[in-house]
Structure formats: structure tokens, C-alpha cells
């Protein structure tokens, strides 16, 4: 399974105002890298998977596309993404999910780790010398996971959802101070999200659950819920 050409785009929504969906507190912006999946690397070709970690910022889809254009100049890039994220901007998450979906890529919630020879001998073919440390994926990250052709949630990985919201800031006309106000997604934003979920083969029930959870809380999904909402199998 290899990445095909992935180009930046606005994704299926084109809604510049789609609300941010955040964990409590900002994190480091999402960064992308690759890791070899076996020891057969040389100057001309190296089988590699993608690592994506951090908060999903507005520029994440463009950064991802630019990263892939660079990596595709060398043979061996496989369509496997190791994903860890506390969430972030919803529109950007749907664009990332769309890029991953259109590439037919698999997403694994976890961090890759090199295996020693003894552990490698016990593994079936697939990841080569790479194992998985279970990771986390919350808020908007879950919608990126939905875009994957194959969704992998290893035992011990944590998925969390809550209601879409954004904090809007405005100046107080009376005192000149900046005031914050929490606003929530309306029917048009939720319907746009449902259209994306339908396109990538996700669960509409998950959106209903997420929108029922207060924005300042995280509902951690059980293993049964991960399966029921078609969010992932334990392995590739």
C-alpha cells in the first residue's frame, strides 16, 4: 500500500468558519515525519510510514500535502499514518481526513517503535521491524481517523469525543477590554460534518454522541464503542 499523489485542497466542506474542536488547553502544532518500517533502507529506496503528532492547526493540511510532495520524490513511502493528537481545528481535520481517505491510507493510533529481533520474530509480516505504542486521539482527531481506509486502534489506545465549540474574542465597547464568549456549532456545521462522515464511511451515531458531551469534558470511548462506531480494529 503506497501513497498516491496527494495535493492540498479545501476538502469536502469549504467552510472557513467551521468551529475549532479542542481539548482543554493548546498543544504543539502537528508535525509530520517518516519512519523506516524495516532494515532494507538504502540511498535509492526505503520503506517508510508517516508519523503525524500534535494539535491540528489551520495550516496542518497544507503542511501535510507539502510534506508528502517531498517524501514522494523517493520510492518506498507506504500509506500508513501513525497518528497522535489532542484535537484541533475541525475544518482542518476534515481536510486531513479527506486527503488520507482519497489516498486509501491506513491510520494507526499510536507511536511507532523499533522492535528487537526476538519480538520481531513473533510478529506477522506487515509492519516489518516497527511495533506500536498505543496513543491517543481526541476531539477533531477522531474525524481524521474516520477518513482512513483502514482504522487501527491498538489495545490501550484512547479515543475521546466532545461537543464542537469555539471561543470568540471581542472588545468590550464600554471598557475596551477583550472578552471571550463560547459559541457552539449550529445545524449547518453539524450537517457539513455529517456529509463528510457519510463520504468516508463513518458512523453518524458517533456525531450524535460527541455533540451530547459538554465542550469542557472528554468522553473516552470503550473498546465496544470503538467497534460499534467503526473506528478501528486492534491491528492491521
Amino acid at each position: 500500500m503506497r501513497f498516491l499523489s496527494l495535493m492540498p485542497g479545501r476538502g469536502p466542506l469549504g467552510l472557513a468558519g467551521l468551529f475549532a474542536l479542542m481539548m482543554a488547553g493548546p498543544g504543539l502544532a502537528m508535525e509530520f515525519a517518516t519512519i523506516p518500517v524495516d532494515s532494507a533502507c538504502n540511498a535509492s529506496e526505503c520503506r517508510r510510514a508517516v508519523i503525524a503528532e500534535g494539535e491540528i492547526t489551520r495550516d496542518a493540511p497544507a503542511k501535510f500535502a507539502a510534506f508528502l510532495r517531498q517524501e514522494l520524490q523517493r520510492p518506498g513511502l507506504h500509506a500508513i499514518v501513525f497518528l497522535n493528537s489532542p484535537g484541533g481545528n475541525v475544518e482542518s481535520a476534515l481536510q486531513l481526513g479527506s486527503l488520507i481517505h482519497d489516498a486509501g491510507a491506513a491510520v494507526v493510533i499510536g507511536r511507532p517503535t523499533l522492535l528487537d529481533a526476538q519480538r520481531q520474530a513473533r510478529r506477522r509480516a506487515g509492519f516489518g521491524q516497527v511495533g506500536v505504542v498505543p496513543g491517543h486521539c481526541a476531539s477533531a482527531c477522531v474525524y481524521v481517523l474516520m477518513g482512513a481506509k483502514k482504522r487501527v486502534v491498538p489495545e490501550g489506545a484512547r479515543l475521546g469525543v466532545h461537543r464542537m465549540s469555539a471561543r470568540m474574542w471581542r472588545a468590550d465597547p464600554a471598557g475596551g477590554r477583550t472578552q471571550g464568549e463560547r459559541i457552539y456549532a449550529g445545524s449547518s456545521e453539524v450537517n457539513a460534518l455529517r456529509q463528510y462522515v457519510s463520504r468516508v464511511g463513518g458512523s453518524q451515531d458517533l456525531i450524535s454522541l460527541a455533540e451530547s458531551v459538554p465542550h469542557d469534558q472528554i468522553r473516552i470511548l470503550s473498546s465496544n464503542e470503538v467497534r460499534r462506531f467503526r473506528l478501528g480494529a486492534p491491528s492491521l
Side-chain angles (χ1 to χ4, degrees), residues 37-224:
V37 296
D38 57 29
S39 59
C41 283
N42 55 54
S44 61
E45 180 170 351
C46 180
R47 293 204 319 148
R48 308 176 315 283
V50 174
I51 303 170
E53 290 197 318
E55 179 187 325
I56 304 165
T57 53
R58 288 191 178 276
D59 62 348
K63 288 171 60 178
F64 184 49
F67 167 80
L68 289 176
R69 281 198 300 270
Q70 176 180 329
E71 290 296 325
L72 286 167
Q73 295 178 16
R74 288 192 299 148
L77 186 64
H78 281 241
I80 300 172
V81 179
F82 292 93
L83 176 64
N84 281 281
S85 174
N89 182 273
V90 172
E91 185 185 17
S92 294
L94 303 194
Q95 291 180 22
L96 281 173
S98 293
L99 289 170
I100 288 170
H101 180 78
D102 293 343
V107 167
V108 183
I109 302 303
R111 296 178 176 87
T113 180
L114 294 177
L115 299 176
D116 58 40
Q118 184 177 11
R119 291 175 64 198
Q120 172 63 17
R122 295 197 298 265
R123 286 186 63 88
R124 63 180 177 83
F127 276 140
Q129 292 179 321
V130 175
V132 181
V133 176
H136 69 280
C137 178
S139 303
C141 175
V142 174
Y143 300 129
V144 178
L145 173 63
M146 276 189 176
K149 179 178 180 181
K150 178 74 173 181
R151 306 157 189 163
V152 181
V153 182
E155 184 177 353
R158 292 165 63 85
L159 302 185
V161 298
H162 63 181
R163 186 181 184 186
M164 288 187 288
S165 72
R167 181 167 289 279
M168 304 295 291
W169 299 93
R170 60 182 178 85
D172 182 357
R177 294 182 179 181
T178 300
Q179 294 183 334
E181 178 184 5
R182 177 71 57 178
I183 61 174
Y184 300 96
S187 58
S188 61
E189 289 81 14
V190 174
N191 287 338
L193 178 56
R194 290 189 181 280
Q195 291 174 17
Y196 162 83
V197 169
S198 293
R199 189 176 88 87
V200 300
S203 169
Q204 298 291 342
D205 291 340
L206 179 65
I207 298 176
S208 300
L209 173 63
E211 288 298 297
S212 73
V213 179
H215 75 274
D216 58 351
Q217 299 179 23
I218 289 290
R219 165 68 182 277
I220 301 299
L221 301 179
S222 68
S223 298
N224 287 338

